[in-house]
């Protein structure tokens, strides 16, 4: 009898978890918050990628009102030796930003099978970072570093432990197909923004073309 109660409770929990997951994937991203609905600055986590990804995301950041998105929490791969200098050049003398490192999910030319282990390690790095920094918004544009962070946020949302929004901005160079990160986060991000109309056709109905 006791075992039956445990099995019944487990089934109910799994059903509730599945329904919550379906809601997050298919329904929540339809509700766009009102521009004037927030009175406090947005704690913004920005995921950097070495090279072009960092350049693209920092161009976006430079157009945002820094007082409205504060503090800005930059996350880079531990082997990235370029991005921090670019962040400092764009932030100038302000002090309301931080830079954190996590392990890189996938090195250049690393096989996909080998990247599974490194992605798991990066996910473990991401858990305390997301938990302690408590971002309201995660901005990312393609580097593999963003995948474990967004997975952690999605899991915390499943458990009602955060209400952070994830905005994935596909790289400008992706014209006809989403990047691997884009394909993974297509159903996990709240909004997927693309730059080319081809990525906003019936093949990718969830995207927003800007």
């Amino acid at each position: 009898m006791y075992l039956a109660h445990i099995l019944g409770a487990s089934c109910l929990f799994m059903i509730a978890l599945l329904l919550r997951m379906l809601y997050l994937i298919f329904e929540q991203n339809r509700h766009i918050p009102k521009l004037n609905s927030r009175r406090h600055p947005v704690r913004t986590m920005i995921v950097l990628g070495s090279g072009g990804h960092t350049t693209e995301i920092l161009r976006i950041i430079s157009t945002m009102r820094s007082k409205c998105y504060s503090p800005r929490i930059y996350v880079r791969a531990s082997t990235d030796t370029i991005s921090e200098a670019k962040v400092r050049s764009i932030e100038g003398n302000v002090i309301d930003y931080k830079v954190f490192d996590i392990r890189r999910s996938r090195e250049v030319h690393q096989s996909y099978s080998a990247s599974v282990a490194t992605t798991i390690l990066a996910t473990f790095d991401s858990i305390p970072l997301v938990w302690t920094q408590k971002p309201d918004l995660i901005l990312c544009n393609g580097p593999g570093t963003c995948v474990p962070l967004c997975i952690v946020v999605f899991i915390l949302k499943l458990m009602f432990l955060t209400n952070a929004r994830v905005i994935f901005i596909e790289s400008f160079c992706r014209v006809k197909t989403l990047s691997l990160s884009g394909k993974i986060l297509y159903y996990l991000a709240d909004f997927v923004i693309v730059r080319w109309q081809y990525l906003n056709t019936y093949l990718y109905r969830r995207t927003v073309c800007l």
Side-chain angles (χ1 to χ4, degrees), residues 30-166:
R30 297 181 184 179
H31 304 296
I32 301 176
K34 296 179 181 179
L35 293 177
N36 60 352
S37 63
R38 189 175 184 89
R39 298 180 180 178
H40 304 289
V42 179
R43 293 181 63 87
T44 305
M45 181 171 284
I46 303 146
V47 186
L48 304 172
S50 54
H53 285 120
T54 292
T55 301
E56 285 188 15
I57 198 72
L58 290 181
R59 283 178 181 170
I60 295 171
I61 298 303
S62 65
T63 65
M64 298 164 56
R65 297 170 60 186
S66 58
K67 291 183 179 180
C68 297
Y69 299 90
S70 176
R72 291 168 300 289
I73 306 156
Y74 293 94
V75 182
R76 64 172 186 171
S78 56
T79 56
D80 181 358
T81 59
I82 302 173
S83 295
E84 187 171 2
K86 292 183 178 180
V87 170
R88 289 179 178 175
S89 67
I90 196 172
E91 290 287 355
N93 296 323
V94 300
I95 59 173
D96 61 334
Y97 78 94
K98 308 172 185 177
V99 179
F100 292 93
D101 294 349
I102 63 172
R103 274 174 270 208
R104 187 184 291 273
S105 297
R106 181 173 178 264
E107 296 287 351
V108 178
H109 303 308
Q110 183 182 6
S111 67
Y112 291 125
S113 58
S115 67
V116 172
T118 51
T119 299
I120 292 173
L121 292 174
T123 302
F124 282 115
D125 284 350
S126 302
I127 294 172
L129 179 59
V130 172
W131 184 254
T132 57
Q133 296 304 311
K134 301 185 184 307
D136 302 310
L137 173 66
I138 296 89
L139 289 177
C140 48
N141 72 325
T145 308
C146 71
V147 173
L149 286 163
C150 294
I151 289 175
V152 169
V153 170
F154 186 79
I155 293 173
L156 292 178
K157 289 169 80 170
L158 279 178
M159 298 160 46
F160 296 94
L161 294 176
T162 184
N163 194 34
R165 294 298 184 103
V166 176

Side-chain angles (χ1 to χ4, degrees), residues 46-47 52-64 139-143 167-179 182 191-201 204 206-210:
I46 303 146
V47 186
H53 285 120
T54 292
T55 301
E56 285 188 15
I57 198 72
L58 290 181
R59 283 178 181 170
I60 295 171
I61 298 303
S62 65
T63 65
M64 298 164 56
L139 289 177
C140 48
N141 72 325
I167 298 179
F168 178 82
I169 307 169
E170 186 56 277
S171 176
F172 189 80
C173 66
R174 305 302 301 199
V175 179
K176 292 189 175 182
T177 60
L178 294 176
S179 61
F191 300 98
V192 177
I193 298 174
V194 296
R195 318 294 185 86
W196 299 93
Q197 193 64 42
Y198 190 90
L199 291 176
N200 189 226
T201 61
Y204 303 104
R206 293 168 54 86
T207 62
V208 177
C209 184
L210 296 180

Side-chain angles (χ1 to χ4, degrees), residues 1-6:
M1 191 70 177
Y2 182 69
L3 181 59
H5 287 162
I6 293 178

